[in-house]
Amino acid sequence: MNLLDTSYAAHRLLAAEPREQHTLEVYLDYTCPFSAKLWHTLTTKVVPYLTKEGANPGLSIIFRHQVQPWHPASTLLHEASLAVEKLNPSGFVPFSQALFEHQREYFDEATVEITRAETYRQLADLAASINAIDDRQAMLQLLDIQPNAEPRNAGNAVTNDLKYHIRLARAKAIHVSPTVALDGVADDSVSSSWTLDQWKTWLDQI
């Protein structure tokens, strides 16, 4: 059950062993506090638990982008993560971790008076500071809007990548973050506040 385009292989947070039987998709927004909480639980507790021998019931976990447009900076953060993946796929997860840790710096009140280009530079600095990328300028080349005598809404070098992820979520009727889907079916019972024991109980039912 391979639901992940090979272009975005770094979005797979956990690979099923020995073979994939189920897929858990987590739809998260980098500027959403509840998404940050769920990300933290998954990456520091659930994934380590499932990597233990015999603990994984054939489950693959995939990160999905769920941009909440009422927080304008959200789009820029998700673009930045896609740019990092293009430059260094192994940097995607560490950079995502950094984005969640620094998310308050990109809340509405923190970004209302800075430009899109300035935000991109902050994000490139963050990526470089954790060694998610080697070339800050290469990341900015992917993110910056190129000037044109006639405005065309052409976007940047990761616009089509972001469109792909947005369309994927829309096609599955995903409306909020965080949302968890098992084998393509959203499960609203899953909570960002769950403990590892609650996750274990849920996983035992798969």
Side-chain angles (χ1 to χ4, degrees):
M1 187 184 295
N2 189 350
L3 300 176
L4 188 61
D5 187 294
T6 55
S7 300
Y8 311 109
H11 287 58
R12 192 181 302 278
L13 305 180
L14 176 69
E17 298 292 347
R19 66 185 182 88
E20 183 174 322
Q21 299 180 34
H22 302 284
T23 302
L24 182 69
E25 298 167 278
V26 288
Y27 292 82
L28 306 177
D29 177 4
Y30 290 123
T31 62
C32 169
F34 300 103
S35 290
K37 184 183 293 187
L38 181 56
W39 167 273
H40 178 75
T41 302
L42 283 174
T43 58
T44 66
K45 297 180 181 179
V46 177
V47 169
Y49 164 71
L50 289 173
T51 55
K52 294 180 180 179
E53 185 176 352
N56 189 346
L59 183 69
S60 176
I61 301 179
I62 298 174
F63 174 96
R64 297 294 193 191
H65 298 267
Q66 180 61 19
V67 177
Q68 300 192 107
W70 47 89
H71 299 309
S74 176
T75 294
L76 310 188
L77 271 62
H78 285 270
E79 286 181 329
S81 72
L82 291 165
V84 165
E85 184 177 30
K86 283 182 178 293
L87 295 171
N88 176 28
S90 66
F92 176 79
V93 170
F95 185 58
S96 293
Q97 175 68 29
L99 289 177
F100 281 120
E101 290 177 351
H102 290 262
Q103 67 174 197
R104 293 182 63 86
E105 297 169 25
Y106 300 95
F107 282 2
D108 294 348
E109 297 83 357
T111 57
V112 67
E113 294 186 357
I114 64 175
T115 68
R116 180 176 186 172
E118 289 170 334
T119 302
Y120 285 150
R121 276 145 185 77
Q122 287 184 7
L123 292 165
D125 288 342
L126 178 60
S129 74
I130 63 166
N131 297 316
I133 56 168
D134 294 325
D135 190 339
R136 175 181 180 276
Q137 191 56 39
M139 182 172 173
L140 289 175
Q141 287 176 350
L142 293 174
L143 294 173
D144 280 342
I145 304 298
Q146 301 305 313
N148 193 293
E150 180 181 350
R152 296 181 295 118
N153 257 351
N156 57 29
V158 294
T159 294
N160 286 337
D161 298 283
L162 187 60
K163 285 181 179 179
Y164 167 84
H165 291 285
I166 297 301
R167 288 167 178 163
L168 186 151
R170 288 178 177 176
K172 296 185 178 182
I174 305 298
H175 298 292
V176 299
S177 70
T179 294
V180 170
L182 178 64
D183 296 334
V185 180
D187 187 343
D188 294 334
S189 72
V190 178
S191 170
S192 61
S193 297
W194 274 7
T195 64
L196 177 58
D197 285 340
Q198 288 173 300
W199 271 102
K200 287 180 180 179
T201 300
W202 186 84
L203 291 166
D204 286 343
Q205 300 172 18
I206 296 178

